[in-house]
Amino acid sequence: MTPVKSETTAIGEVLTKFVASDPSMFELISDDINFRIDHFRDDADTSWQQATSREGMMAMIERLGREVFPKGTEALSVETLVLGDGWHLTQFNQRFFYGVRQRDVTSLTYIISHETDGVMDFFRETVTTILDA
C-alpha cells in the first residue's frame, strides 16, 4: 500500500467537492456506481444510504444533506492509500452538525473505492465513530 495525495484520486476529488457542496462531483461518478454507507455499532438507519446509479446517488446525497449534514461538513483530514488496480483506501475525518442528533460531532470513516479512467464506480464507507465535538 502506497500513500498518495488524495486530490490525485477520484475519491479525493469527490470528497473535496462533497465538502464544498459542489454538484460537479457527480461528473466523477459512474452511471452504474455501486455505493453504500454502513455504520459500526450505531443504531442509525442507514438502509437508504446506498445507490446503484448516478441518479440514485444524487437523490441519496440530497437526502444526506437534508437529514445528516444540514449545515455541511468540514474535512479535518483525508488520507488515501493506493491498493492497486484502481482500488483505494481512504480515511476521512470530518466535523459537522449532525442533524440526526442535533449536535456538533466529529466522525472518522474508512472508504474503500474503485475508479476506472478517473471515474469512481465503487464506494463503501464504514462510519467508525460519531463523537460529540
Side-chain angles (χ1 to χ4, degrees), residues 70-96:
K71 297 180 181 179
T73 189
E74 173 191 359
L76 300 175
S77 66
V78 179
E79 297 176 24
T80 301
L81 296 173
V82 174
L83 302 177
D85 236 6
W87 291 96
H88 297 93
L89 171 62
T90 302
Q91 179 180 299
F92 180 42
N93 192 6
Q94 60 186 321
R95 179 181 12 244
F96 58 97

Side-chain angles (χ1 to χ4, degrees), residues 19 27 54 82:
V19 168
E27 296 168 11
R54 182 184 300 141
V82 174

Side-chain angles (χ1 to χ4, degrees), residues 90-107:
T90 302
Q91 179 180 299
F92 180 42
N93 192 6
Q94 60 186 321
R95 179 181 12 244
F96 58 97
F97 177 82
Y98 191 17
V100 174
R101 294 186 186 168
Q102 293 294 299
R103 65 184 68 170
D104 290 318
V105 299
T106 60
S107 178

